[in-house]
Amino acid sequence: MEKPLVGIIMGSDSDLPVMQEAAKILEEFGIDFELTIVSAHRTPERMFDYAKNCDKRGIEVIIAGAGGAAHLPGMVASITPLPVIGVPVKTSSLEGMDSLLSIVQMPPGVPVATVAINNAKNAGILAAEILGIKYPEIKKKVAEYKEKMKKEVEEKAARMENIGYREYLKEREVNN
């Protein structure tokens, strides 16, 4: 692996099924990343060390996923000068609203960009967009990705308009 540009961290290995989506989209864009567990509550020294030193290792953006109290993104953002993207992970008790509110309610001076509950894919895309400011090849890949999405929607719209919504729904049921 080249020097990673993105650090993907999570409070627990139970967050990995959600956070893998950030890894997958970064792989699609060809962006090197590292992925590890850093618990704000169970390993605060590890969290502090990670946040304090990741920029010295070449990390330029951090994606931090956490559930429940979800302190990881905010605590990391309070230590590092790097942009932090928070991913609220859905919990069984409050459907992820606790995580979302914990991450978005940051005090002035400690911003955390926050995506929707369980939407690590968007966190990966946002990280790529941030990196695209500095790296033209990443910006180009993000633009191509968005153009591909646009074409897919246009093709679906044309198909639905051509065969009608009832037939389109039948086709979707067969294909799913």
Side-chain angles (χ1 to χ4, degrees), residues 15-164:
D15 300 333
L16 186 54
V18 170
M19 298 307 291
Q20 71 175 334
E21 297 304 318
K24 288 177 182 178
I25 196 72
L26 292 173
E27 287 170 339
E28 186 175 331
F29 290 142
I31 299 170
D32 290 318
F33 62 90
E34 61 185 25
L35 191 149
T36 192
I37 301 166
V38 180
S39 173
H41 300 113
R42 293 179 295 270
T43 60
E45 294 88 0
R46 178 175 167 77
M47 179 208 61
F48 185 87
D49 183 61
Y50 186 90
K52 193 76 173 163
N53 296 305
C54 58
D55 62 326
K56 295 176 184 109
R57 295 184 293 103
I59 299 294
E60 297 186 23
V61 180
I62 298 170
I63 300 172
H71 291 131
L72 182 62
M75 290 302 296
V76 169
S78 74
I79 300 165
T80 185
L82 300 177
V84 175
I85 303 167
V87 179
V89 176
K90 185 177 180 178
T91 56
S92 58
S93 56
L94 297 173
E95 301 295 313
M97 286 302 296
D98 50 344
S99 309
L100 175 65
L101 295 174
S102 292
I103 296 172
V104 300
Q105 294 298 326
M106 294 303 301
V110 187
V112 175
T114 309
V115 297
I117 296 168
N118 280 2
N119 202 336
K121 182 176 183 177
N122 269 0
I125 294 168
L126 181 56
E129 290 173 338
I130 292 168
L131 292 169
I133 295 167
K134 181 178 178 183
Y135 301 99
E137 66 277 10
I138 295 174
K139 184 177 185 177
K140 181 179 182 217
K141 288 178 183 179
V142 171
E144 289 168 351
Y145 177 83
K146 290 186 175 192
E147 184 62 29
K148 180 182 168 198
M149 285 192 316
K150 175 186 167 193
K151 286 181 181 176
E152 288 172 356
V153 171
E154 289 171 346
E155 288 169 5
K156 289 176 183 180
R159 179 77 181 145
M160 186 186 308
E161 291 166 4
N162 185 42
I163 65 173

